[in-house]
Amino acid sequence: MTEIQYTILTHQRCKDVAELLATCFPDMPIEDQYTQEELEEVATVFPEGTVIALENGRVVGMGTGVFIDIEFDNLPPTENQLLYNANDMLIHYPEGRYYYGSDLAVHPECRGRGIAREIYNHRKALVINQGKKGFAAAAVLPGYETFIGQLDIQSYLDKVVAGELFDPTLSVQLRNGFKLIRPIKDFFTYPRSNNWSALILWENPNR
């Protein structure tokens, strides 16, 4: 099996990263996905915040993010409003207290090889090296699809945290050291969970 290489986003890779996102999230509305042009902005503003995984030069994984100040009890209504200002410019504060990870994708052909975990590790290392308080994200909840109408969202999350239920995204993130902050609704479009997601945080152990 070919070794996976990890590096930061470059302008030359933006088209490939946009195509990877389209492959991994075919049901996600276009307006909620990074376009090549938006990724070009990311590559200009904060390339170190985006880790890409390469196999034989092909982009097979990615995880992007920015430094930001975030109030966990007072989020803007949508992720786009958290990440972009009124002029549609990407928000990145070099002195921000937190790294916010917005996207994670691994090509379907390459899943189960630890690529997502390694992308998380690279981004955690960035948090530690830059002395940030932690790594925040909004986790999609694909497992909730089965329980809509049976469990309210908080009950579902409580069971996932307790290990009574397995969520393909949140359970993995909990194993990676993230903790659940609270459920959030309509932060982005994700029909499988009725647009519910989970605000999560990994805290810098050196802070």
Side-chain angles (χ1 to χ4, degrees):
M1 190 174 292
T2 309
E3 182 179 355
I4 303 295
Q5 297 179 317
Y6 298 88
T7 186
I8 65 174
L9 182 66
T10 63
H11 288 277
Q12 292 78 11
R13 300 289 186 187
C14 290
K15 181 176 183 291
D16 294 338
V17 172
E19 290 175 352
L20 174 68
L21 287 169
T23 297
C24 293
F25 303 108
D27 298 327
M28 185 172 286
I30 295 297
E31 60 271 18
D32 286 345
Q33 289 191 28
Y34 274 117
T35 64
Q36 180 179 342
E37 292 73 20
E38 288 170 336
L39 288 164
E40 294 277 359
E41 183 182 9
V42 171
T44 297
V45 173
F46 187 40
E48 300 88 348
T50 296
V51 177
I52 59 173
L54 303 173
E55 183 177 44
N56 293 326
R58 179 176 71 130
V59 176
V60 296
M62 64 81 71
T64 193
V66 293
F67 290 151
I68 200 167
D69 280 320
I70 183 171
E71 297 180 31
F72 295 102
D73 293 327
N74 189 30
L75 289 178
T78 69
E79 187 178 66
N80 280 342
Q81 289 170 285
L82 177 69
L83 296 175
Y84 288 88
N85 63 25
N87 296 317
D88 288 329
M89 301 294 291
L90 181 69
I91 295 171
H92 166 64
Y93 300 129
E95 303 305 318
R97 295 171 297 161
Y98 293 94
Y99 174 90
Y100 180 82
S102 54
D103 283 81
L104 178 76
V106 175
H107 196 285
E109 296 174 0
C110 299
R111 291 172 185 168
R113 295 171 58 182
I115 294 173
R117 177 183 290 274
E118 195 61 28
I119 290 172
Y120 273 118
N121 287 342
H122 277 75
R123 295 194 287 175
K124 288 176 182 177
L126 178 67
V127 170
I128 291 172
N129 292 339
Q130 295 296 318
K132 302 304 179 184
K133 292 188 69 174
F135 176 168
V140 297
L141 300 168
Y144 188 48
E145 182 177 37
T146 305
F147 296 94
I148 293 174
Q150 302 176 44
L151 294 173
D152 63 70
I153 188 63
Q154 189 62 59
S155 297
Y156 174 77
L157 293 175
D158 288 344
K159 288 181 178 295
V160 172
V161 171
E164 297 172 19
L165 292 176
F166 176 81
D167 185 274
T169 297
L170 181 58
S171 296
V172 173
Q173 290 165 322
L174 294 172
R175 291 173 185 172
N176 272 286
F178 284 85
K179 68 177 183 180
L180 174 68
I181 302 298
R182 62 183 176 89
I184 45 180
K185 185 76 161 66
D186 297 325
F187 200 53
F188 43 69
T189 302
Y190 192 73
R192 289 180 63 182
S193 63
N194 197 24
N195 290 351
W196 281 105
S197 55
L199 183 62
I200 58 173
L201 175 66
W202 177 84
E203 294 178 297
N204 183 348
N206 295 344
R207 287 289 300 265

